[in-house]
């Protein structure tokens, strides 16, 4: 994709006071206007806010998978939706090494960093400037994101004086959410939303041959290398960072005994991650024997 068609800051266009304009909080009208008249960019990214499920209409679909025509699409481009999912514990460790490890003597340990930042979840507001600081340590982040923000953080869902509430406040990692009234509906909505994505890339495969093949098939992309001094990492494969250096984010190796507690706290995300990963590889390698409707 030509550089002039891509917003410079991680594909996230600036809007108002925000360097990254939180396209997840834009209306459908704003999205179409931005992509067709204001700047003529061909790609925008939403990082900090929940997936806005009303945007599916811009692809000609809805949450139930029904194909529909819509006035928004008359004379406007039909949008493709692409997302990446990462191993939940690796994602949290990566957030810690990026935001929490500064090299100073008072850097918190991972568990303490988690506890400190989980306290910020209650401050989150869609489109707010401080959104990323509120969500960098959120557990079951992918279910929360693709449920449209419906999955409540356990501390917000439990009475603070109840036994589970006290456990949440005292622990570095929240206990696993087991009450179906809290997780079932948001989880099902997250599955429906991901099913309507045109491509869900497991991050561990994104810069490998399988990820590149999937992006070439859907988007026509053939060049994945990165140029520029501001990037560090494997520029040929496209696995780079814009700040510091590529770090080990293997939570299983890094965390030791803490890993199990973190896995259990994120069990909803792990189910979602492994399901979407299985669907990705089945679609890539088994299309000749499994139709798309079966995979849905």
């Amino acid at each position: 994709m030509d550089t002039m068609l891509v917003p410079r800051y991680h594909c996230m266009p600036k809007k108002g006071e925000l360097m990254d304009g939180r396209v997840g909080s834009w209306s459908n009208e704003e999205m179409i206007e931005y992509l067709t008249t204001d700047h003529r960019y061909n790609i925008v990214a939403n990082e900090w806010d929940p997936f806005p499920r009303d945007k599916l209409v811009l692809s000609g679909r809805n949450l139930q998978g029904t194909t529909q025509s819509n006035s928004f699409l008359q004379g406007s481009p039909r949008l493709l939706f692409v997302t990446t999912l990462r191993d939940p514990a690796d994602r949290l460790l990566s957030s810690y090494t990026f935001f929490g490890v500064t090299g100073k003597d008072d850097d918190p340990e991972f568990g303490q960093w988690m506890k400190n930042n989980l306290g910020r979840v209650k401050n989150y507001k869609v489109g707010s400037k401080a959104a990323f600081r509120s969500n960098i340590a959120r557990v079951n982040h992918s279910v929360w994101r693709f449920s449209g923000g419906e999955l409540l953080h356990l501390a917000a869902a439990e009475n603070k004086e109840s036994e589970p509430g006290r456990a949440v406040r005292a622990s570095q990692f929240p206990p696993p959410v087991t009450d179906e009234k809290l997780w079932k509906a948001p989880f099902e909505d997250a599955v429906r939303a991901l099913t309507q994505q045109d491509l869900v890339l497991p991050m561990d495969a994104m810069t490998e041959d399988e990820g590149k093949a999937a992006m070439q098939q859907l988007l026509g992309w053939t060049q994945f290398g990165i140029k520029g001094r501001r990037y560090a990492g494997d520029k040929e494969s496209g696995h780079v960072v814009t700040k510091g250096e590529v770090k080990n984010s293997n939570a299983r190796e890094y965390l030791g005994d803490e890993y199990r507690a973190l896995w259990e706290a994120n069990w909803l995300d792990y189910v979602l991650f492994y399901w979407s990963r299985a669907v990705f590889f089945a679609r890539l390698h088994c299309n000749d024997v499994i139709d798309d409707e079966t995979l849905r």
Side-chain angles (χ1 to χ4, degrees), residues 101-113:
V101 179
T102 64
K104 298 179 180 179
D105 293 338
D106 60 349
D107 281 346
E109 295 294 329
F110 175 71
Q112 187 60 49
W113 176 86

Side-chain angles (χ1 to χ4, degrees), residues 1 3-8 13 34-36 38-44:
M1 187 176 291
T3 304
M4 67 180 294
L5 301 176
V6 181
R8 185 173 181 180
Y34 190 88
L35 290 170
T36 57
D38 283 358
H39 300 278
R40 299 193 181 278
Y41 287 142
N42 281 358
I43 183 172
V44 292

Side-chain angles (χ1 to χ4, degrees), residues 9-294:
Y9 186 71
H10 306 311
C11 299
M12 295 184 286
K14 180 177 180 180
K15 183 180 181 184
E17 298 179 351
L18 299 175
M19 182 184 296
D20 46 348
R22 310 292 199 273
V23 297
S25 63
W26 293 8
S27 68
N28 287 345
E29 292 87 350
E30 286 179 297
M31 183 74 76
I32 288 298
E33 182 179 9
Y34 190 88
L35 290 170
T36 57
T37 60
D38 283 358
H39 300 278
R40 299 193 181 278
Y41 287 142
N42 281 358
I43 183 172
V44 292
N46 176 48
E47 183 174 13
W48 300 117
D49 292 320
F51 174 68
R53 293 173 297 177
D54 65 305
K55 299 293 180 295
L56 283 172
V57 71
L58 302 179
S59 70
R61 300 186 298 272
N62 59 29
L63 197 62
Q64 286 68 44
T66 304
T67 301
Q68 59 186 53
S69 59
N70 192 283
S71 58
F72 286 120
L73 296 175
Q74 301 302 316
S76 300
R78 185 172 296 236
L79 272 59
L80 295 175
F81 289 87
V82 179
T83 193
T84 61
L85 289 186
R86 189 174 190 175
D87 177 286
D90 290 356
R91 182 194 70 80
L92 286 164
L93 179 59
S94 178
S95 290
Y96 167 67
T97 59
F98 187 84
F99 294 108
V101 179
T102 64
K104 298 179 180 179
D105 293 338
D106 60 349
D107 281 346
E109 295 294 329
F110 175 71
Q112 187 60 49
W113 176 86
M114 280 283 298
K115 185 175 182 180
N116 293 345
N117 282 280
L118 282 171
R120 292 179 166 143
V121 170
K122 63 181 181 300
N123 300 324
Y124 173 71
K125 183 179 179 182
V126 173
S128 66
K129 190 172 184 178
F132 79 96
R133 297 297 292 179
S134 301
N135 291 316
I136 54 177
R138 183 187 284 271
V139 297
N140 294 308
H141 185 276
S142 295
V143 174
W144 168 79
R145 177 180 294 276
F146 287 98
S147 68
E150 290 179 359
L151 182 69
L152 298 177
H153 176 53
L154 193 57
E158 296 283 0
N159 183 314
K160 290 183 179 181
E161 299 309 316
S162 68
E163 184 175 344
R166 289 194 296 271
V168 168
R169 287 186 291 131
S171 66
Q172 293 178 328
F173 308 133
V177 54
T178 57
D179 187 342
E180 284 193 2
K181 296 193 294 293
L182 298 178
W183 69 261
K184 187 175 181 181
F187 182 81
E188 290 174 347
D189 279 348
V191 170
R192 293 187 186 98
L194 282 172
T195 300
Q196 298 311 315
Q197 304 292 302
D198 293 281
L199 178 61
V200 180
L201 271 170
M203 187 166 284
D204 58 304
M206 186 169 65
T207 57
E208 302 298 329
D209 291 342
E210 292 93 345
K212 293 175 182 178
M215 287 187 280
Q216 182 174 359
Q217 185 180 57
L218 177 68
L219 305 171
W221 293 356
T222 58
Q223 298 180 23
F224 300 94
I226 301 291
K227 297 180 181 180
R229 295 180 180 179
R230 64 191 292 253
Y231 300 105
D234 185 348
K235 295 182 181 180
E236 184 176 347
S237 73
H239 182 197
V240 298
V241 294
T242 56
K243 180 181 177 182
E245 60 185 12
V246 176
K247 298 178 181 178
N248 178 16
S249 296
N250 188 320
R252 186 186 292 271
E253 293 179 1
Y254 186 95
L255 295 176
D257 293 341
E258 290 181 312
Y259 178 77
R260 181 180 179 86
L262 191 61
W263 197 103
E264 291 179 349
N266 286 277
W267 74 272
L268 288 170
D269 262 16
Y270 268 105
V271 174
L272 200 69
F273 173 70
Y274 285 123
W275 164 74
S276 63
R277 199 173 188 278
V279 170
F280 169 79
F281 283 107
R283 282 179 170 162
L284 195 63
H285 297 297
C286 306
N287 264 347
D288 56 333
V289 293
I290 304 177
D291 60 37
D292 199 57
E293 191 59 35
T294 300

